[in-house]
Amino acid sequence: MSLDKLNSSLIQEIDGLKKEGRAKIAERVITKYIPPKGEFGPRYRLRGSDNEFIRLNSNCGYRPGAGAA
């Protein structure tokens, strides 16, 4: 199978997944950690949004210095 045929086939398959609502969504990237305030726990900012979000996955808590290169 030529590369052109393969690319065309993959594009059709991905378009079908999008139409069915089964395509992978864009990755969510945390850009800022907001420490707890009063009764409210920590919040996070995501790339492309000014809203604050809570993190529902308790296995991934904030660790100062994690990810610093």
Side-chain angles (χ1 to χ4, degrees):
M1 178 182 282
S2 73
L3 218 51
D4 291 333
K5 286 183 181 180
L6 176 62
N7 285 337
S8 153
S9 172
L10 291 174
I11 288 171
Q12 288 177 354
E13 189 169 337
I14 291 171
D15 286 342
L17 290 172
K18 286 179 183 178
K19 288 177 186 174
E20 295 173 5
R22 298 190 304 140
K24 184 177 177 183
I25 61 172
E27 184 176 15
R28 295 181 183 109
V29 178
I30 296 174
T31 59
K32 184 176 182 182
Y33 169 78
I34 303 165
K37 297 178 198 166
E39 297 178 357
F40 299 103
R43 301 290 191 259
Y44 299 88
R45 287 247 168 92
L46 299 178
R47 181 174 53 198
S49 175
D50 290 330
N51 295 329
E52 296 179 2
F53 298 91
I54 61 173
R55 186 158 191 160
L56 298 175
N57 183 348
S58 63
N59 294 329
C60 297
Y62 175 70
R63 291 170 288 161

